[in-house]
Amino acid sequence: MSLPPLLLKKNEDRRLRAGHLWVFSNEVDIKRTPLKAFAPGEAVEIRAHNGRAVGTGYVNPNSLICARLLSRDAAHPPDRSLLVHRLNIALALRERLYAQPFYRLAFGESDNLPGLVVDRYGEVLVAQITTAGMEMMKADIVAALMKVVKPSGILFRNDVGIRELEGLPLYTELAHGTLAEAVIIEEHGCRFEVPLTGGQKTGWFFDQYDNRGRLLRYLPGKRVLDVFSYVGAWGIQAAAHGAREALCVDSSNTALAQATRNAALNGVQIGTREADAFDALRELHAAGEKFDVVVLDPPAFVKRKKDLMAGREAYQRLNQLGMQVLNRDGLLISCSCSYHMPAEALLAGIQSACRHLDREAQVLERGGQAADHPVHPAIPETAYLKAFFVRVVG
Ligand code: SAH
């Protein structure tokens, strides 16, 4: 079966040849292959201006990124066997990395599966599709996951806002098997119950695995504040690894109720405070409370490039508030998952907070996302997580 061609303008195949997977709508030779002639998600053969094949992929005429490359081999159309092949390669990496089946199994472009993310909670998979091309292949994705992983359940959390950029509806769907309300995962010797349908994103933030591991050696005897705690990943691991006390702050009472249950699951106690993080930090400061370790792991403040100015300011304010409740010689763990917020800008915000409070900072460690979220070297957007471990003196 031959695929319809998508022809690029002269030289517009260069980025793809250099390793990228995206085609922007202004790069298509719409005189010869009008985008409007394609259905959203349709499979195509992407060709250079001279007709030479670049590979196969899928199109969405309604999106700024109007096509994504799935294979550089024109003989491989986007189909079930290509998905099986890609998922096997993805699984091999994760099995090498982790002793237990709790990880991000597929990370979109970085695993040559543009538009598809799959998280693995043991026997249960939670998948998220963000492009029309992957949506068209949903049945094949389910079949490929069955073949490669043989899960007991596959849940689609197709309820993220970015789907709207591709004209896709927001929904969740159990595509295979049955599902408990929650699953149990393990991380650094702690167990966590993770909500599947009601949780944030796909349920658990596997990207912080290494950074939470970095935290462990700083804990004995410390008082820890976990801000934007969600279900208690940082705070509970802190309590279980020797912290004297851990307080979790989040605006979601369901997340905090889950955090309390997760603490019990590990035989530790935590405090919880349901509040806006900025308000809570101000109140804790006003009450004279001090902590030895403060973790700031907020949701993305800079979702689009044009939000950078406002976002930088928010990160700076947050770090300053966090520093105000930090003891002398305390540890600030400052994270950002905003791709558009450069690491250096976050560091500048931390430094500026120090100057305002007349304190000195030493960066001890800097971390990124865990290796189950590999970075695609040609696609900067795949490197998004930053975590600074900062000793604040004075
Ligand atoms: N630290 C968590 C992940 C945080 S996700 C982990 O390691 O698993 C972001 C969390 O921030 C969510 O639980 C959300 O409920 C919470 N949140 C978002 N805005 C908030 C705000 N203004 N104040 C407090 N919590 C907020």
Side-chain angles (χ1 to χ4, degrees):
M1 186 193 76
S2 73
L3 297 172
L6 179 77
L7 283 154
L8 303 180
K9 289 181 190 159
K10 204 165 179 184
N11 294 331
E12 298 293 11
D13 57 321
R14 272 194 207 150
R15 187 165 10 82
L16 294 179
R17 295 212 185 276
H20 213 293
L21 304 178
W22 298 348
V23 177
F24 290 95
S25 52
N26 63 339
E27 297 164 353
V28 173
D29 185 343
I30 48 169
K31 290 213 183 70
R32 291 197 290 167
T33 51
L35 274 169
K36 295 289 167 214
F38 295 100
E42 195 172 340
V44 289
E45 183 175 298
I46 301 171
R47 292 188 193 162
H49 192 251
N50 63 8
R52 275 221 334 259
V54 180
T56 62
Y58 56 70
V59 175
N60 187 349
N62 305 322
S63 169
L64 184 63
I65 302 172
C66 73
R68 298 184 201 226
L69 190 70
L70 262 105
S71 174
R72 292 180 189 276
D73 185 340
H76 288 146
D79 63 9
R80 188 175 304 186
S81 79
L82 183 65
L83 293 171
V84 168
H85 177 62
R86 294 269 187 268
L87 286 168
N88 272 321
I89 295 173
L91 180 62
L93 169 69
R94 279 65 180 187
E95 288 189 329
R96 214 178 305 151
L97 294 172
Y98 297 101
Q100 290 178 297
F102 310 121
Y103 42 68
R104 175 148 293 187
L105 169 63
F107 182 45
E109 273 72 354
S110 299
D111 283 298
N112 278 308
L113 288 164
L116 179 66
V117 158
V118 184
D119 280 346
R120 180 167 191 190
Y121 302 95
E123 296 295 298
V124 173
L125 300 178
V126 178
Q128 191 159 72
I129 291 174
T130 50
T131 59
M134 279 293 171
E135 187 86 5
M136 286 268 277
M137 290 203 284
K138 195 161 82 176
D140 289 324
I141 293 169
V142 173
L145 288 171
M146 299 288 291
K147 181 154 187 193
V148 173
V149 188
K150 301 173 196 68
S152 65
I154 302 175
L155 175 72
F156 280 103
R157 282 293 304 262
N158 287 341
D159 53 354
V160 270
I162 44 163
R163 281 173 58 93
E164 285 165 354
L165 295 177
E166 293 258 336
L168 294 169
L170 308 191
Y171 66 92
T172 62
E173 179 193 316
L174 180 61
H176 164 70
T178 52
L179 221 57
E181 285 272 297
V183 285
I184 305 260
I185 64 136
E186 265 187 63
E187 189 177 290
H188 306 306
C190 290
R191 299 170 76 215
F192 291 89
E193 192 178 278
V194 175
L196 288 178
T197 44
Q200 292 270 330
K201 302 268 178 84
T202 58
W204 181 256
F205 294 88
F206 288 116
D207 53 358
Q208 289 280 26
Y209 178 91
D210 290 354
N211 297 325
R212 293 194 201 105
R214 280 191 176 89
L215 172 70
L216 304 184
R217 63 170 149 157
Y218 297 101
L219 295 168
K222 304 297 187 203
R223 186 174 193 221
V224 178
L225 180 64
D226 176 1
V227 188
F228 304 97
S229 69
Y230 184 45
V231 295
W234 294 87
I236 290 165
Q237 292 186 59
H241 286 91
R244 164 166 58 91
E245 199 186 320
L247 175 61
C248 290
V249 175
D250 201 284
S251 56
S252 157
N253 67 349
T254 41
L256 289 175
Q258 183 67 66
T260 302
R261 289 196 296 277
N262 283 339
L265 202 58
N266 292 283
V268 297
Q269 284 202 329
I270 53 159
T272 60
R273 190 165 174 136
E274 180 190 338
D276 171 75
F278 291 82
D279 291 345
L281 287 167
R282 266 185 224 103
E283 287 159 17
L284 288 165
H285 175 56
E289 299 277 353
K290 293 282 185 215
F291 299 84
D292 307 301
V293 178
V294 173
V295 181
L296 305 172
D297 183 16
F301 290 157
V302 189
K303 293 215 169 66
R304 293 158 302 183
K305 204 172 173 186
K306 67 180 178 65
D307 300 333
L308 181 58
M309 283 295 276
R312 278 178 87 124
E313 202 266 328
Y315 281 109
Q316 199 266 332
R317 204 155 25 96
L318 178 67
N319 279 277
Q320 188 161 327
L321 289 169
M323 227 177 264
Q324 275 182 333
V325 295
L326 198 59
N327 264 327
R328 283 166 175 274
D329 197 358
L331 181 70
L332 180 74
I333 297 165
S334 179
C335 310
S336 165
C337 59
S338 305
Y339 160 68
H340 294 290
M341 177 76 183
E344 300 320 315
L346 181 60
L347 198 54
I350 295 168
Q351 173 59 13
S352 152
C354 273
R355 293 325 314 138
H356 275 95
L357 300 176
D358 195 22
R359 300 181 81 173
E360 300 290 334
Q362 294 174 304
V363 177
L364 307 184
E365 304 188 41
R366 51 195 296 177
Q369 61 225 42
D372 58 347
H373 292 62
V375 173
H376 191 304
I379 308 180
E381 287 82 350
T382 59
Y384 65 96
L385 187 63
K386 279 86 50 185
F388 286 103
F389 284 57
V390 185
R391 181 186 186 209
V392 181
V393 191

